[in-house]
Amino acid sequence: MSDRILVVDDEPQIQRFLKPALTAAGYDVVEAATGAAALKAVATTAPDVVILDLGLPDMDGKEVVAQLRGWSQVPIIILSARDRETEKIAALDLGADDYVEKPFGIGELTARIRAALRHRLAAEAEADHVEVDGLVIDTLRRLVSRDGATVKLTPKEYDLLVLLARHAGRVVTHRTLLTSIWGPAHGEDLHYLRVFIGQLRAKIERDPTRPAILRTEPGVGYRFMAE
């Protein structure tokens, strides 16, 4: 059975581009042109992933995210213009899983869809063991190793790494990382976060100057690369 993708966008050219492209990629595509129609479609068609444009005619796309997160954990991928970074970050903080900037290629979008589907399955399985490129995170024993050698992390470094790993493939915003690890009072302390990310990279990356596991999403946050 094909995974079902709900595309929420009121631009006819986007709909004309996405439906045949996603159908050719093997997905079952459902369309909605308004926020209200999107909310109804999620309830009635049970999509596996929602692709959501923020600029809808009847309501802000961020409000759609907020309402959905009140009763659904369906993965949400935001379609965002490059000049709407603040809104994109706000949508991610409200619970969206990822974003793709316009203009985008279908290859980039389908890669994000596959990552969202993998993350959903991993979340359902509640994996306690993460392994990528020789890095092993064992959350049951709170141990991290690299190529068989134990990696010594401080408690905050460990918590930060695990938070990113549990959202593998997804971008996690600066604010989410800061408030989750250090508390609401530190939501704007980006320097704090950069220092700890730098320390983590020095300990887990093969080449910290060219990180392959902890990727920076400029102006937004960080992404733990699952493959």
Side-chain angles (χ1 to χ4, degrees):
M1 184 175 178
S2 299
D3 290 309
R4 180 169 296 154
I5 311 297
L6 171 61
V7 177
V8 187
D9 199 305
D10 67 324
E11 296 182 38
Q13 62 270 32
I14 295 292
Q15 294 280 17
R16 286 196 299 267
F17 164 63
L18 283 183
K19 185 168 185 176
L22 292 174
T23 300
Y27 297 109
D28 177 21
V29 180
V30 178
E31 297 175 303
T34 66
L39 294 169
K40 182 178 180 180
V42 172
T44 58
T45 68
D48 296 289
V49 175
V50 174
I51 299 172
L52 173 66
D53 184 65
L54 292 179
L56 299 174
D58 61 334
M59 70 173 71
D60 192 307
K62 298 191 298 297
E63 178 61 24
V64 176
V65 175
Q67 290 197 36
L68 281 178
R69 283 297 174 256
W71 51 273
S72 173
Q73 291 303 309
V74 61
I76 301 171
I77 300 173
I78 297 296
L79 298 182
S80 170
R82 293 183 185 276
D83 60 354
R84 299 181 68 175
E85 184 171 283
T86 301
E87 290 191 353
K88 173 177 64 185
I89 293 172
L92 290 166
D93 281 333
L94 285 168
D97 296 79
D98 211 338
Y99 70 92
V100 176
E101 290 185 337
K102 297 179 181 179
F104 57 86
I106 193 63
E108 179 185 7
L109 181 59
T110 54
R112 293 284 192 259
I113 291 172
R114 290 193 299 271
L117 290 169
R118 285 196 302 271
H119 180 265
R120 183 196 64 183
L121 292 174
E124 290 172 355
E126 295 184 350
D128 50 35
H129 181 92
V130 177
E131 184 169 355
V132 56
D133 191 29
L135 178 72
V136 177
I137 304 170
D138 184 340
T139 59
L140 287 180
R141 297 189 295 164
R142 289 183 65 88
L143 294 176
V144 177
S145 62
R146 176 80 197 197
D147 298 329
T150 299
V151 177
K152 294 182 179 180
L153 301 178
T154 69
K156 291 295 187 188
E157 289 171 349
Y158 175 83
D159 290 344
L160 180 58
L161 180 62
V162 169
L163 177 58
L164 285 162
R166 283 179 171 161
H167 294 79
R170 295 171 53 188
V171 60
V172 185
T173 66
H174 297 134
R175 177 179 290 277
T176 296
L177 292 168
L178 285 163
T179 56
S180 297
I181 303 301
W182 288 278
H186 295 281
E188 304 299 326
D189 293 341
L190 295 185
H191 175 69
Y192 234 53
L193 185 56
R194 292 190 188 103
V195 168
F196 273 81
I197 289 291
Q199 292 172 180
L200 271 177
R201 284 172 170 163
K203 295 179 179 182
I204 69 171
E205 296 280 2
R206 296 192 186 279
D207 181 357
T209 65
R210 300 176 62 187
I213 298 174
L214 298 183
R215 295 280 184 85
T216 298
E217 294 290 342
V220 180
Y222 296 94
R223 189 191 304 268
F224 184 98
M225 302 303 293
E227 56 182 29

